[in-house]
Coordinates of all heavy atoms in Angstrom, one line a residue:
S456 N -3.3 27.6 19.4 CA -4.6 27.1 19.1 C -4.7 25.6 19.3 O -3.9 24.8 18.9 CB -4.9 27.4 17.6 OG -6.2 26.9 17.3
P457 N -5.8 25.1 20.0 CA -5.9 23.7 20.1 C -6.1 22.9 18.8 O -5.8 21.8 18.6 CB -7.1 23.5 21.0 CG -7.8 24.8 21.0 CD -6.8 25.8 20.6
Y458 N -6.7 23.6 17.8 CA -6.9 23.0 16.5 C -5.6 22.8 15.8 O -5.4 21.8 15.1 CB -7.8 23.9 15.7 CG -9.2 24.1 16.2 CD1 -9.6 25.3 16.7 CD2 -10.1 23.0 16.3 CE1 -10.9 25.5 17.2 CE2 -11.3 23.2 16.9 CZ -11.7 24.4 17.3 OH -13.0 24.5 17.8
R459 N -4.7 23.7 16.0 CA -3.3 23.5 15.4 C -2.6 22.3 15.9 O -2.0 21.5 15.2 CB -2.5 24.8 15.6 CG -1.1 24.7 14.9 CD -0.4 26.0 14.9 NE -1.1 27.0 14.2 CZ -1.1 27.3 12.9 NH1 -0.4 26.5 12.1 NH2 -1.7 28.2 12.3
A460 N -2.7 22.1 17.2 CA -2.1 20.9 17.8 C -2.7 19.6 17.3 O -2.1 18.6 17.0 CB -2.2 21.0 19.3
E461 N -4.1 19.7 17.2 CA -4.8 18.5 16.7 C -4.4 18.2 15.2 O -4.2 17.1 14.9 CB -6.3 18.8 16.8 CG -7.2 17.6 16.4 CD -8.6 17.9 16.6 OE1 -9.0 18.7 17.5 OE2 -9.4 17.4 15.8
E462 N -4.3 19.3 14.4 CA -4.0 19.1 13.0 C -2.5 18.5 12.9 O -2.3 17.7 12.1 CB -4.1 20.4 12.3 CG -5.5 20.9 12.0 CD -5.6 22.2 11.4 OE1 -4.5 22.8 11.1 OE2 -6.7 22.7 11.2
E463 N -1.6 19.0 13.7 CA -0.3 18.6 13.7 C -0.2 17.1 14.1 O 0.5 16.3 13.5 CB 0.6 19.4 14.7 CG 2.0 19.0 14.7 CD 2.8 19.4 13.5 OE1 2.3 20.3 12.7 OE2 3.8 18.8 13.2
Q464 N -1.0 16.7 15.1 CA -1.0 15.3 15.5 C -1.6 14.4 14.4 O -1.0 13.3 14.1 CB -1.8 15.1 16.8 CG -1.8 13.7 17.3 CD -2.4 13.5 18.6 OE1 -2.7 14.5 19.3 NE2 -2.6 12.3 19.1
K465 N -2.6 14.8 13.7 CA -3.2 14.1 12.6 C -2.2 14.0 11.5 O -2.1 12.9 10.8 CB -4.5 14.7 12.1 CG -5.7 14.5 13.0 CD -6.9 15.2 12.4 CE -8.1 15.0 13.4 NZ -9.3 15.6 12.8
R466 N -1.5 15.0 11.2 CA -0.5 15.0 10.1 C 0.6 14.0 10.5 O 1.0 13.2 9.6 CB 0.2 16.4 9.9 CG 1.1 16.4 8.7 CD 1.8 17.8 8.6 NE 2.6 18.1 9.8 CZ 3.8 17.6 10.1 NH1 4.4 16.8 9.2 NH2 4.5 18.0 11.1
K467 N 1.1 14.0 11.7 CA 2.1 13.0 12.1 C 1.6 11.6 12.0 O 2.4 10.7 11.6 CB 2.6 13.3 13.5 CG 3.5 14.6 13.6 CD 3.9 14.8 15.0 CE 4.8 16.1 15.1 NZ 5.2 16.3 16.5
E468 N 0.4 11.4 12.5 CA -0.2 10.0 12.4 C -0.3 9.6 10.9 O 0.0 8.4 10.6 CB -1.6 10.0 13.0 CG -1.5 10.1 14.6 CD -2.9 10.2 15.2 OE1 -3.9 10.2 14.5 OE2 -2.9 10.2 16.4
G469 N -0.7 10.5 10.1 CA -0.8 10.2 8.6 C 0.6 9.8 8.0 O 0.7 8.9 7.2
E470 N 1.6 10.6 8.4 CA 2.9 10.3 7.9 C 3.4 8.9 8.4 O 4.0 8.1 7.7 CB 3.9 11.3 8.3 CG 3.7 12.6 7.6 CD 4.6 13.7 8.1 OE1 5.4 13.5 9.1 OE2 4.6 14.8 7.5
A471 N 3.1 8.6 9.7 CA 3.5 7.3 10.2 C 2.8 6.1 9.5 O 3.4 5.1 9.2 CB 3.2 7.2 11.7
I472 N 1.5 6.3 9.2 CA 0.8 5.3 8.5 C 1.3 5.1 7.1 O 1.5 4.0 6.6 CB -0.7 5.7 8.4 CG1 -1.4 5.5 9.8 CG2 -1.5 4.8 7.4 CD1 -2.8 6.1 9.9
D473 N 1.7 6.2 6.4 CA 2.3 6.2 5.1 C 3.6 5.4 5.1 O 3.9 4.6 4.2 CB 2.5 7.6 4.5 CG 1.2 8.2 4.1 OD1 0.2 7.5 3.9 OD2 1.2 9.5 3.9
Q474 N 4.4 5.7 6.1 CA 5.7 5.0 6.3 C 5.5 3.5 6.5 O 6.2 2.6 5.9 CB 6.5 5.6 7.4 CG 7.1 6.9 7.1 CD 7.8 7.5 8.3 OE1 7.8 7.0 9.4 NE2 8.4 8.7 8.1
Q475 N 4.5 3.1 7.3 CA 4.2 1.7 7.5 C 3.7 1.0 6.3 O 4.1 -0.1 5.9 CB 3.2 1.5 8.6 CG 3.7 1.9 10.0 CD 2.6 1.9 11.0 OE1 1.4 1.7 10.7 NE2 2.9 2.1 12.3
Y476 N 2.9 1.7 5.5 CA 2.4 1.2 4.3 C 3.5 1.0 3.3 O 3.6 -0.1 2.6 CB 1.3 2.2 3.7 CG 0.8 1.8 2.4 CD1 -0.1 0.7 2.2 CD2 1.2 2.5 1.2 CE1 -0.6 0.4 1.0 CE2 0.6 2.1 0.0 CZ -0.3 1.1 -0.1 OH -0.7 0.7 -1.3
K477 N 4.4 1.9 3.1 CA 5.5 1.8 2.2 C 6.4 0.7 2.6 O 6.9 -0.1 1.8 CB 6.3 3.1 2.1 CG 5.5 4.2 1.3 CD 6.2 5.5 1.3 CE 5.4 6.5 0.6 NZ 6.0 7.8 0.5
A478 N 6.7 0.5 3.9 CA 7.5 -0.6 4.4 C 6.9 -1.9 4.1 O 7.6 -2.9 3.7 CB 7.8 -0.4 5.9
T479 N 5.6 -2.0 4.2 CA 4.9 -3.3 4.0 C 4.9 -3.6 2.5 O 5.2 -4.7 2.1 CB 3.4 -3.1 4.4 OG1 3.4 -2.9 5.8 CG2 2.7 -4.4 4.1
L480 N 4.8 -2.6 1.6 CA 4.9 -2.8 0.2 C 6.3 -3.3 -0.2 O 6.5 -4.1 -1.0 CB 4.6 -1.5 -0.6 CG 3.1 -1.2 -0.7 CD1 2.9 0.1 -1.5 CD2 2.3 -2.3 -1.4
D481 N 7.3 -2.7 0.4 CA 8.7 -3.1 0.1 C 8.9 -4.5 0.6 O 9.6 -5.3 -0.1 CB 9.7 -2.2 0.8 CG 9.7 -0.8 0.2 OD1 9.3 -0.6 -1.0 OD2 10.2 0.2 0.9
R482 N 8.4 -4.9 1.7 CA 8.6 -6.3 2.2 C 7.8 -7.3 1.3 O 8.3 -8.4 1.1 CB 8.1 -6.5 3.6 CG 9.0 -5.9 4.6 CD 8.6 -6.3 6.0 NE 7.2 -6.2 6.3 CZ 6.6 -5.2 7.0 NH1 7.4 -4.2 7.4 NH2 5.3 -5.2 7.2
T483 N 6.7 -6.9 0.8 CA 5.9 -7.9 0.0 C 6.1 -7.8 -1.5 O 5.7 -8.7 -2.2 CB 4.4 -7.6 0.2 OG1 4.0 -6.3 -0.2 CG2 4.0 -7.9 1.7
N484 N 6.9 -6.9 -2.0 CA 7.1 -6.8 -3.4 C 8.1 -7.8 -3.8 O 9.3 -7.8 -3.4 CB 7.7 -5.4 -3.7 CG 7.7 -5.1 -5.2 OD1 7.2 -5.9 -6.0 ND2 8.3 -4.0 -5.6
R485 N 7.7 -8.8 -4.6 CA 8.6 -9.9 -5.0 C 8.9 -9.8 -6.5 O 9.4 -10.8 -7.1 CB 7.9 -11.2 -4.7 CG 7.7 -11.4 -3.3 CD 7.1 -12.8 -3.0 NE 6.9 -12.9 -1.6 CZ 5.7 -13.1 -1.1 NH1 4.6 -13.3 -1.8 NH2 5.6 -13.2 0.2
G486 N 8.7 -8.7 -7.1 CA 9.0 -8.5 -8.5 C 7.8 -8.8 -9.4 O 6.7 -9.0 -8.9
P487 N 8.0 -8.8 -10.7 CA 6.8 -8.9 -11.6 C 6.3 -10.4 -11.5 O 7.0 -11.3 -11.3 CB 7.4 -8.7 -13.0 CG 8.9 -8.9 -12.8 CD 9.2 -8.6 -11.4
A488 N 5.0 -10.4 -11.5 CA 4.3 -11.7 -11.4 C 4.5 -12.5 -12.8 O 4.6 -11.9 -13.8 CB 2.8 -11.5 -11.1
E489 N 4.5 -13.8 -12.7 CA 4.6 -14.6 -13.9 C 3.3 -14.6 -14.7 O 2.3 -14.6 -14.1 CB 4.9 -16.0 -13.5 CG 6.3 -16.2 -12.8 CD 6.5 -17.7 -12.5 OE1 5.9 -18.6 -13.1 OE2 7.3 -17.9 -11.6
K490 N 3.5 -14.5 -16.0 CA 2.3 -14.4 -16.8 C 1.8 -15.8 -17.0 O 2.4 -16.8 -17.4 CB 2.7 -13.9 -18.2 CG 1.5 -13.6 -19.1 CD 1.9 -13.0 -20.4 CE 0.7 -12.8 -21.2 NZ 1.0 -12.2 -22.5
V491 N 0.5 -16.0 -16.6 CA -0.2 -17.3 -16.7 C -1.0 -17.3 -18.0 O -1.8 -16.5 -18.2 CB -1.1 -17.5 -15.5 CG1 -1.8 -18.8 -15.6 CG2 -0.3 -17.4 -14.2
V492 N -0.7 -18.3 -18.8 CA -1.4 -18.5 -20.0 C -2.6 -19.4 -19.8 O -2.4 -20.6 -19.3 CB -0.5 -19.1 -21.1 CG1 -1.3 -19.3 -22.4 CG2 0.7 -18.2 -21.3
N493 N -3.8 -19.0 -20.0 CA -5.0 -19.7 -19.8 C -5.6 -20.1 -21.2 O -6.1 -19.3 -21.9 CB -6.0 -18.9 -19.0 CG -7.2 -19.8 -18.6 OD1 -7.2 -21.0 -18.8 ND2 -8.2 -19.1 -18.1
D494 N -5.5 -21.4 -21.5 CA -6.0 -21.8 -22.8 C -6.9 -23.0 -22.6 O -6.4 -24.2 -22.4 CB -4.8 -22.2 -23.7 CG -5.3 -22.6 -25.1 OD1 -6.5 -22.3 -25.4 OD2 -4.5 -23.0 -25.9
P495 N -8.2 -22.8 -22.5 CA -9.1 -23.9 -22.1 C -9.2 -24.9 -23.2 O -9.7 -26.1 -23.0 CB -10.4 -23.2 -21.9 CG -10.3 -21.9 -22.6 CD -8.9 -21.5 -22.6
W496 N -8.9 -24.6 -24.5 CA -9.0 -25.5 -25.6 C -7.7 -26.2 -25.9 O -7.6 -26.9 -26.9 CB -9.4 -24.7 -26.8 CG -10.8 -24.2 -26.7 CD1 -11.2 -23.0 -26.3 CD2 -12.0 -24.9 -26.9 NE1 -12.5 -22.9 -26.2 CE2 -13.1 -24.1 -26.6 CE3 -12.3 -26.2 -27.3 CZ2 -14.4 -24.5 -26.7 CZ3 -13.6 -26.6 -27.4 CH2 -14.7 -25.7 -27.1
S497 N -6.7 -26.2 -25.1 CA -5.4 -26.8 -25.4 C -5.5 -28.3 -25.5 O -4.8 -28.9 -26.3 CB -4.4 -26.4 -24.3 OG -4.8 -26.9 -23.0
N498 N -6.3 -29.0 -24.8 CA -6.4 -30.4 -24.9 C -7.3 -30.9 -26.0 O -7.3 -32.0 -26.3 CB -6.9 -31.0 -23.6 CG -8.2 -30.5 -23.2 OD1 -8.8 -29.6 -23.8 ND2 -8.8 -31.1 -22.1
M499 N -8.0 -30.0 -26.7 CA -8.8 -30.3 -27.8 C -8.1 -30.2 -29.2 O -8.5 -30.8 -30.1 CB -10.0 -29.4 -27.9 CG -10.9 -29.5 -26.7 SD -11.6 -31.2 -26.7 CE -13.0 -31.0 -25.7

């Protein structure tokens, strides 16, 4: 069926996109962000 081949190709493309996304997340993950304390009245 031509539809089966098309579905298979879409599935493979989706898996490739997922792998790229996960790889990007792994490269950009730098650990937990530092907690920033915002106190506008600290100088008062």
Side-chain angles (χ1 to χ4, degrees):
S456 173
Y458 297 114
R459 182 169 300 274
E461 184 178 326
E462 289 176 2
E463 182 69 23
Q464 183 172 352
K465 284 182 182 180
R466 185 185 61 79
K467 286 181 181 179
E468 288 174 358
E470 288 176 357
I472 290 171
D473 286 342
Q474 288 176 353
Q475 291 173 355
Y476 176 74
K477 288 177 183 177
T479 302
L480 282 179
D481 289 340
R482 283 194 312 262
T483 59
N484 191 6
R485 295 186 182 119
E489 294 180 21
K490 186 176 181 181
V491 177
V492 178
N493 187 8
D494 188 7
W496 293 95
S497 63
N498 59 352
M499 296 298 201

